[in-house]
Amino acid sequence: MATIRVAPNEVQVDDIIYTFESSGVADEFEACVATVDVGHCETQCVPVGKRDAGMPPVAEFPVD
């Protein structure tokens, strides 16, 4: 599975970009994907967002 570090807190796996709360969690996810499947890694290092690699990032605002 091909992984690309898009940003300190973002990792691309194939056609999906995963966003994490910190670069440390992104590091763990990237290391996990190198050894087991993405589905398992998503449960161990839960992303705060994910998007198609062809789509630009979307600003998210908290809802009160």
Side-chain angles (χ1 to χ4, degrees):
M1 201 166 298
T3 62
I4 300 169
R5 195 59 172 262
V6 179
N9 67 329
E10 293 186 326
V11 178
Q12 180 176 338
V13 180
D14 296 331
D15 294 332
I16 303 293
I17 297 175
Y18 297 86
T19 304
F20 299 93
E21 64 184 34
S22 69
S23 62
V25 178
D27 291 341
E28 292 175 26
F29 179 79
E30 191 171 20
C32 182
V33 170
T35 60
V36 295
D37 67 282
V38 170
H40 173 80
C41 298
E42 280 189 70
T43 63
Q44 298 300 309
C45 306
V46 180
V48 294
K50 61 184 187 176
R51 66 183 190 277
D52 185 292
M55 300 296 294
V58 176
E60 295 182 20
F61 300 95
V63 178
D64 292 332

